[in-house]
Amino acid sequence: GMEYIDSYVFNKAEYIRFNSTVGRYVGYTEHGLKNAEAWNSDAGILGQEQGELERVCKHNADIDYSAILDKT
């Protein structure tokens, strides 16, 4: 399977991450936990992240896969 992770870092510390496998945000600090709660309840924000998985990852995977097939 394919996993898309969007990490948010402040002062070199990751405070929140979107993980496509769980389909929601996970907070790692007090600030991150508050954001995760807010963003997870916002279907628009979650939809945007899921859209990135489709737009970026799957599109590029198709290109990489066809490039591999061309070389064999």
Side-chain angles (χ1 to χ4, degrees), residues 7-10 14-18 24-42 45-46 49:
S7 293
Y8 295 78
V9 176
F10 181 72
E14 182 178 29
Y15 69 94
I16 189 168
R17 167 191 292 190
F18 175 82
R24 57 192 285 114
Y25 289 93
V26 179
Y28 297 100
T29 64
E30 191 181 346
H31 179 64
L33 289 167
K34 282 181 185 158
N35 278 13
E37 198 178 341
W39 297 355
N40 284 331
S41 64
D42 187 324
I45 293 176
L46 288 178
E49 291 281 17

Side-chain angles (χ1 to χ4, degrees), residues 30-68:
E30 191 181 346
H31 179 64
L33 289 167
K34 282 181 185 158
N35 278 13
E37 198 178 341
W39 297 355
N40 284 331
S41 64
D42 187 324
I45 293 176
L46 288 178
Q48 219 172 342
E49 291 281 17
Q50 293 289 8
E52 288 297 291
L53 171 69
E54 296 293 327
R55 190 178 68 77
V56 179
C57 303
K58 294 191 174 162
H59 174 71
N60 288 335
D62 289 343
I63 291 169
D64 292 343
Y65 188 65
S66 63
I68 292 163

